[in-house]
Amino acid sequence: MGTLPGRKDIPPWVKVPEDLKDPEVLQVQTQLLEAMFGPAGSRIPYIEQVSKVMLELKVLESSGLTEVLVYGSYLYKLRAKWMLQSMAEWHRQRRERGMLKLEDAMKALQLGPWMK
């Protein structure tokens, strides 16, 4: 990627311009973003600070996915990408388990044919 991110508040731990080249990119289901990053992205500054990276989110219009671009030094980018992928997978599995429990509860509440 040859273009620099449009963000103006670049964190002090990100070196300009070398850390803004070649971000790590991962795609996350858009519906998982609030679980990962909090309402309106409120946890993003904390994640950036402890990971020593800068994050940028780009919604992919027609796919239901959002690209998460991770900027920073090489090792910090890789570590943050791995952490974010793990978080996304954990939240995806948690949501899936919740849906299965909901289905089981709904089946349990359905009336049997003898009670109609």
Side-chain angles (χ1 to χ4, degrees), residues 61-75:
E61 293 301 321
S62 61
S63 65
L65 296 173
T66 298
E67 274 189 347
V68 180
L69 289 84
V70 183
Y71 297 94
S73 67
Y74 180 72
L75 291 176

Side-chain angles (χ1 to χ4, degrees), residues 33-86:
L33 291 179
E34 185 170 341
M36 291 176 63
F37 298 123
S42 60
R43 287 190 215 123
I44 290 176
Y46 176 76
I47 293 169
E48 288 180 333
Q49 184 178 8
V50 297
S51 301
K52 300 293 184 231
V53 296
M54 182 177 85
L55 302 177
E56 187 176 18
L57 306 180
K58 291 186 178 181
V59 177
L60 302 176
E61 293 301 321
S62 61
S63 65
L65 296 173
T66 298
E67 274 189 347
V68 180
L69 289 84
V70 183
Y71 297 94
S73 67
Y74 180 72
L75 291 176
Y76 288 142
K77 284 190 299 191
L78 291 180
R79 183 177 65 184
K81 181 180 179 182
W82 176 83
M83 178 196 65
L84 293 169
Q85 286 173 324
S86 298

Side-chain angles (χ1 to χ4, degrees), residues 15 21 58 76 86 90 100 110:
K15 296 181 193 102
K21 296 175 184 167
K58 291 186 178 181
Y76 288 142
S86 298
W90 186 84
L100 291 175
Q110 288 179 344

